[in-house]
C-alpha cells in the first residue's frame, strides 16, 4: 500500500509540475503578445508623428520665403 501511495504522490507531483509549466507558458505568451501590441502601436504613432513633423516643416518652408519677401518690400 505504501508503494502505491508513493507512486500516486509521485504521479500527482509530476502532473502538477506539468500544469504549472503550462500556466507559466501561457503567462509568457500573454506578456509577449501585449509587448508586441504595444510595440506595434508605438511604431504606428511614431510614424504618424514623423509624417506630421515633415508636413509641418514643409509648410513652414513654403511660408518662410513669402514672409521674408513681404518684409523686404516694406523696408525698400
Amino acid at each position: 500500500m505504501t508503494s502505491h501511495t508513493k507512486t500516486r504522490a509521485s504521479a500527482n507531483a509530476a502532473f502538477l509540475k506539468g500544469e504549472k509549466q503550462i500556466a507559466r507558458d501561457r503567462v509568457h505568451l500573454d506578456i509577449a503578445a501585449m509587448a508586441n501590441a504595444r510595440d506595434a502601436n508605438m511604431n504606428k504613432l511614431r510614424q504618424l508623428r514623423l509624417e506630421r513633423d515633415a508636413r509641418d516643416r514643409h509648410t513652414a518652408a513654403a511660408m518662410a520665403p513669402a514672409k521674408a519677401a513681404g518684409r523686404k518690400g516694406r523696408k525698400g
Side-chain angles (χ1 to χ4, degrees), residues 38-75:
R38 182 192 65 227
D39 291 345
N41 188 42
M42 184 175 58
N43 288 331
K44 180 185 81 170
L45 292 173
R46 179 181 291 139
Q47 184 63 33
L48 290 171
R49 179 176 45 83
L50 291 173
E51 289 172 4
R52 182 197 66 208
D53 291 348
R55 191 172 46 248
D56 290 348
R57 281 192 303 272
H58 178 70
T59 303
M63 298 297 282
K67 289 182 181 178
R71 289 181 186 156
K72 289 180 184 176
R74 290 181 188 158
K75 289 182 180 178

Side-chain angles (χ1 to χ4, degrees), residues 14-34:
F15 176 77
L16 289 175
K17 184 177 179 180
E19 289 294 309
K20 286 178 185 178
Q21 186 61 44
I22 290 170
R24 250 182 301 215
D25 291 344
R26 282 188 192 140
V27 169
H28 287 287
L29 287 174
D30 288 346
I31 290 171
M34 286 188 292

Side-chain angles (χ1 to χ4, degrees), residues 2-18:
T2 58
S3 67
H4 179 60
T5 55
K6 286 182 183 179
T7 305
R8 175 108 183 195
S10 176
N12 283 340
F15 176 77
L16 289 175
K17 184 177 179 180

